[in-house]
Amino acid sequence: MAAPVPDAGEFESWLNDRLDCLEVDREVYGAYILGVLQEEETDAEKEDALQGILSAFLDEETVEDVCKQIIKQWAECRSRATAKRDSEVEAIASMMEKQAQIVVRHKEVSEESKKRKEALLAQYANVTDEEEAGEEEPTLYKNTNLEEVLNRQKQKRSQAREDAQKKKEMDKMQREKDKLTKQDRKEKEKKRTQKGERKR
């Protein structure tokens, strides 16, 4: 089973710094090394996998030391993360225990206050019964919304019809007026041309 990821930010920053010191591409190899550390079960398996990765650009003596440093740092970060998580769990558990110890005290109600409460409830129950008995049967009302809407639409249509008729009459009168004006102009033009021909 894969090991839980420790505080990845802390370990990753350390690993990136270490890879930069070794002049290794940290974006490629950093993610690869982190994956190996998370996937492998034992430290020996991790060391073998890391040696396989780092042997491409480091000599044999350096590879072994660097692998041990990486594994040691991984273990330290993981133990710090586990301790932090355990302390958080303990804090939550103690908080829950404290909350469980808090007991809600029930208010003791005396017989006298119970009787007063019952008397008030009975009094209001009687009042509402009397009010209900005194009410008359509601009358049924006719819903006139539809009729009102239809009447308004009818009025709008008739108003629009009247407006259209008035406009039609106005347009007709305007056309006749324009026709007469045009005819007058033609006659004047005709008279003018006749006068012009006579003068010649």
Side-chain angles (χ1 to χ4, degrees):
M1 184 176 151
V5 179
D7 186 4
E10 178 186 346
F11 178 75
E12 262 188 273
S13 63
W14 177 87
L15 181 62
N16 287 337
D17 291 342
R18 188 70 179 117
L19 291 175
D20 285 343
C21 290
L22 297 171
E23 297 178 0
V24 177
D25 186 4
R26 68 181 180 176
E27 290 183 20
V28 175
Y29 289 103
Y32 189 29
I33 290 171
L34 191 60
V36 166
L37 292 171
Q38 291 172 352
E39 295 297 319
E40 299 300 331
E41 295 288 326
T42 65
D43 286 347
E45 290 174 343
K46 290 175 186 174
E47 191 172 344
D48 286 343
L50 289 175
Q51 283 179 356
I53 296 168
L54 299 173
S55 64
F57 41 83
L58 297 175
D59 58 56
E60 286 184 34
E61 293 174 11
T62 313
V63 167
E64 200 170 311
D65 290 338
V66 170
C67 290
K68 287 181 181 178
Q69 287 176 354
I70 291 173
I71 292 171
K72 180 181 175 190
Q73 186 67 27
W74 173 257
E76 288 175 4
C77 287
R78 191 171 64 190
S79 66
R80 280 194 295 270
T82 304
K84 183 179 177 183
R85 189 174 58 242
D86 289 345
S87 67
E88 288 173 354
V89 169
E90 286 178 21
I92 291 171
S94 68
M95 194 182 310
M96 290 174 69
E97 285 177 20
K98 288 178 184 177
Q99 286 180 345
Q101 291 174 356
I102 297 173
V103 177
V104 178
R105 294 183 183 170
H106 294 287
K107 184 179 176 183
E108 293 184 23
V109 182
S110 67
E111 279 297 316
E112 185 179 322
S113 63
K114 283 183 183 178
K115 287 180 182 177
R116 273 189 270 149
K117 186 176 179 180
E118 287 175 9
L120 278 172
L121 288 173
Q123 180 184 0
Y124 283 111
N126 288 338
V127 169
T128 56
D129 289 343
E130 291 170 4
E131 288 175 356
E132 288 175 5
E135 289 180 3
E136 296 178 13
E137 287 293 318
T139 58
L140 296 176
Y141 294 100
K142 184 177 179 184
N143 188 353
T144 59
N145 290 343
L146 180 62
E147 290 176 19
E148 289 176 14
V149 169
L150 292 174
N151 285 336
R152 276 192 227 127
Q153 287 177 346
K154 190 175 180 181
Q155 287 175 351
K156 284 181 184 178
R157 281 194 302 267
S158 66
Q159 183 65 38
R161 192 178 309 119
E162 288 174 15
D163 291 346
Q165 188 65 31
K166 285 180 185 176
K167 176 134 176 56
K168 192 175 181 181
E169 289 174 11
M170 293 289 284
D171 288 347
K172 187 176 181 181
M173 288 173 54
Q174 186 65 37
R175 278 195 303 269
E176 287 178 15
K177 193 175 182 182
D178 290 345
K179 190 176 180 181
L180 289 174
T181 308
K182 190 176 180 182
Q183 207 172 23
D184 282 346
R185 265 192 255 140
K186 279 185 182 179
E187 287 177 10
K188 285 181 183 177
E189 186 68 31
K190 192 175 182 181
K191 286 180 185 177
R192 217 182 286 143
T193 53
Q194 285 177 355
K195 281 183 184 178
E197 286 179 7
R198 284 185 207 160
K199 287 181 183 178
R200 287 188 204 173

